[in-house]
Amino acid sequence: MFSIMRKPGEGVHNFKVPAELDLYNAAEFKGEILDAIEGSVSPVLVDCSELEYLDSSGIGAFIAVFMKVRTAGGRICFINARKSIARLIALTGLSAVLPFEDSAEDAMEYFQDRNAL
Amino acid sequence: MKTYSLECAISAINDGITLVQVSGEIDLYNSGTLREHFKRLRRQGVGRLIFDFSNTLYMDSSGVGVVVHIFSSCEQRNIQVRFSNFRNPVYRLLKMTRLDGILPITDTVTQAIDEILESRNFNRITVRKIEVDGDHPLFDISGMSHLKIKLILKQVRRFSLLIVQKAPPEIRETNLLEQQICELIKNAVKHGNKNNPEKSVEIWYAFESSKAHIVIKDEGEGFTGLEEWNDFYAKRMKFHHEQNYAAELSYLSFKTANSDESDGGNALFAAVEYWNNGIVFNNNKNAVAVKRIFLQ
């Protein structure tokens, strides 16, 4: 299907968001991540470097995964989002809720920051 | 070479504002410290930030770079920020690079607090609402282009692209415009027409370089959850302004009995922000009129 990359290693779940995440594939994307992280509390890293088009269904998938990880007491971080994606997240009022960092390196720092939300 | 020291004293002041007092000298070697402090603060979810530079004696271009980074990062994340009390040599550098007109600079911390509180109060008064008024001026469709088409969900993206192609090139962020129009059409097809291939969607549109005006009508029973949504949104905004993070988390997605797995439940949150000139339903609630004014 679309590209969800999962490479194990260093105890972090890695996922890559496809170029388009919208009403046509958001439910499937959400399902695959939720299945993959089921029962795990390892940090979840979601790479948005290829993401060009996101809609409310895609954002809904982000929220669902975020809530799942958070409820389990884990951490999730979205990285490499381009400006237009960050704009939409802010417009939806989620920039204070969904953790976005510039790079994988920053995300690792975030995972280790005990004071972070 | 001498290494200058840079210190940041962080304290919480009134109304959920965090004050960062920066003292020492900011140069290539230590500007990262300021960046790190900011990173930590934004990860803790600060919503209002004031930087006090009254004890910053010197700042070079890398320091200015960090200030600009902080500003743009705050813009992107809806964090309110003010930079206060620049000393003359530093201020001259900002002026020379013409950043004094771009950065939110205040003379004093008190002034910064006032500005932040004022804009917050302003936000509070104008918590946006979806109106119901079939006679609203936004429903005046005279002079607008019109299309009537039988659509199913699979065709929604392609159809939206077709509409947005009519927008003049001066409109920036056309992908955001397309996405917002697509959400409206998706709503009409999915929740209005229940994806019934026999039912039509009507769309009226008018684009100018400074505005986009759209009216969309479906053959459904109307958006019955509208009052509920307004109530939900008002609560969400209240928790957001109070910086009540835990409570806000319960208000991320608006779901009704008709919502399915693909419904994000967040499209209208962006819509009320994006369509900054109004978002109005007709009395049957099966047509929506929206308008955006593009600010230059």
Side-chain angles (χ1 to χ4, degrees):
Chain A
M1 290 286 173
F2 44 80
S3 105
I4 291 185
M5 227 179 50
R6 198 157 71 91
K7 48 169 198 261
E10 294 173 38
V12 175
H13 293 282
N14 285 278
F15 298 97
K16 196 166 203 126
V17 187
E20 303 197 338
L21 188 64
D22 57 16
L23 70 157
Y24 304 121
N25 61 0
E28 194 183 346
F29 177 81
K30 176 174 75 180
E32 281 196 35
I33 296 194
L34 291 182
D35 286 349
I37 63 173
E38 179 67 45
S40 161
V41 287
S42 301
V44 178
L45 191 62
V46 184
D47 181 2
C48 301
S49 56
E50 281 168 22
L51 180 60
E52 285 166 14
Y53 184 89
L54 180 69
D55 76 351
S56 65
S57 306
I59 294 176
F62 282 1
I63 294 174
V65 174
F66 164 79
M67 288 306 286
K68 173 87 179 178
V69 171
R70 216 190 127 83
T71 315
R75 286 263 180 103
I76 182 170
C77 190
F78 301 85
I79 55 166
N80 297 331
R82 46 193 88 183
K83 259 206 166 118
S84 58
I85 300 297
R87 262 280 278 148
L88 179 61
I89 297 289
L91 212 55
T92 314
L94 292 169
S95 40
V97 175
L98 298 180
F100 274 82
E101 294 286 342
D102 294 338
S103 63
E105 202 185 0
D106 279 353
M108 295 309 153
E109 233 177 75
Y110 163 73
F111 289 145
Q112 266 145 42
D113 188 343
R114 284 165 186 275
N115 294 318
L117 280 179
Chain B
M1 184 179 279
K2 184 175 183 276
T3 320
Y4 296 108
S5 72
L6 164 69
E7 291 200 14
C8 295
I10 294 158
S11 53
I13 52 176
N14 49 341
D15 296 285
I17 299 173
T18 301
L19 178 68
V20 183
Q21 290 167 296
V22 188
S23 55
E25 316 196 359
I26 314 177
D27 63 10
L28 180 61
Y29 300 98
N30 64 19
S31 61
T33 312
L34 182 57
R35 193 190 279 258
E36 288 305 314
H37 276 289
F38 169 68
K39 240 196 264 181
R40 252 184 309 238
L41 285 170
R42 77 162 166 72
R43 283 176 186 150
Q44 286 164 23
V46 293
R48 299 164 194 131
L49 258 178
I50 298 172
F51 288 87
D52 177 4
F53 291 99
S54 54
N55 288 315
T56 303
L57 308 174
Y58 170 81
M59 190 188 286
D60 72 0
S61 59
S62 58
V64 173
V66 174
V67 170
V68 171
H69 163 82
I70 291 173
F71 169 63
S72 66
S73 183
C74 286
E75 282 271 279
Q76 251 177 41
R77 294 162 194 271
N78 286 339
I79 299 170
Q80 287 178 283
V81 67
R82 293 294 183 280
F83 304 100
S84 304
N85 275 327
F86 283 112
R87 285 173 166 242
N88 250 329
V90 178
Y91 191 66
R92 266 202 301 276
L93 178 63
L94 294 173
K95 239 184 138 91
M96 225 162 58
T97 46
R98 305 211 169 167
L99 287 167
D100 59 321
I102 296 166
L103 297 171
I105 295 172
T106 62
D107 290 339
T108 64
V109 170
T110 317
Q111 203 182 326
I113 295 173
D114 287 348
E115 281 192 20
I116 286 176
L117 293 186
E118 200 172 302
S119 61
R120 191 193 59 175
N121 289 338
F122 177 72
N123 283 342
R124 187 170 284 170
I125 298 162
T126 58
V127 164
R128 295 177 204 271
K129 262 180 77 169
I130 297 175
E131 295 172 68
V132 179
D133 177 6
D135 296 323
H136 194 281
L138 284 188
F139 277 110
D140 178 4
I141 51 173
S142 51
M144 294 173 78
S145 306
H146 175 234
L147 282 170
K148 183 173 183 176
I149 183 169
K150 287 177 178 158
L151 271 185
I152 54 170
L153 266 180
K154 227 159 64 184
Q155 304 157 320
V156 161
R157 265 299 294 286
R158 212 151 29 131
F159 183 69
S160 312
L161 279 166
L162 217 72
I163 301 279
V164 174
Q165 275 171 11
K166 312 282 198 265
E170 295 84 40
I171 294 183
R172 283 177 292 172
E173 297 188 317
T174 45
N175 54 351
L176 194 54
L177 175 65
E178 189 246 307
Q179 188 262 334
Q180 288 298 314
I181 291 176
C182 189
E183 296 288 352
L184 299 174
I185 300 174
K186 178 164 89 168
N187 246 327
V189 171
K190 186 172 185 180
H191 299 295
N193 293 346
K194 309 286 182 210
N195 206 20
N196 181 341
E198 293 308 313
K199 290 190 172 175
S200 302
V201 168
E202 277 188 273
I203 177 161
W204 292 263
Y205 59 91
F207 297 113
E208 285 172 42
S209 56
S210 63
K211 52 192 166 211
H213 179 192
I214 308 279
V215 178
I216 291 175
K217 189 176 179 192
D218 59 54
E219 297 187 71
E221 288 168 4
F223 179 24
T224 48
L226 193 143
E227 282 78 17
E228 216 182 312
W229 186 88
N230 275 334
D231 189 47
F232 187 93
Y233 184 65
K235 280 192 190 126
R236 175 186 171 157
M237 292 315 278
K238 177 176 168 284
F239 292 131
H240 183 76
H241 286 304
E242 290 170 2
Q243 302 193 41
N244 186 345
Y245 184 72
E248 196 182 341
L249 289 186
S250 316
Y251 286 87
L252 299 185
S253 312
F254 177 76
K255 301 275 176 161
T256 67
N258 293 324
S259 300
D260 68 28
E261 263 237 298
S262 294
D263 290 320
N266 59 71
L268 280 170
F269 301 137
V272 287
E273 293 295 326
Y274 185 80
W275 301 108
N276 57 8
N277 200 239
I279 167 161
V280 191
F281 279 78
N282 67 348
N283 300 336
N284 290 334
K285 297 174 192 163
N286 69 331
V288 64
V290 296
K291 192 169 181 178
R292 175 170 172 88
I293 308 286
F294 295 99
L295 306 163
Q296 293 312 312

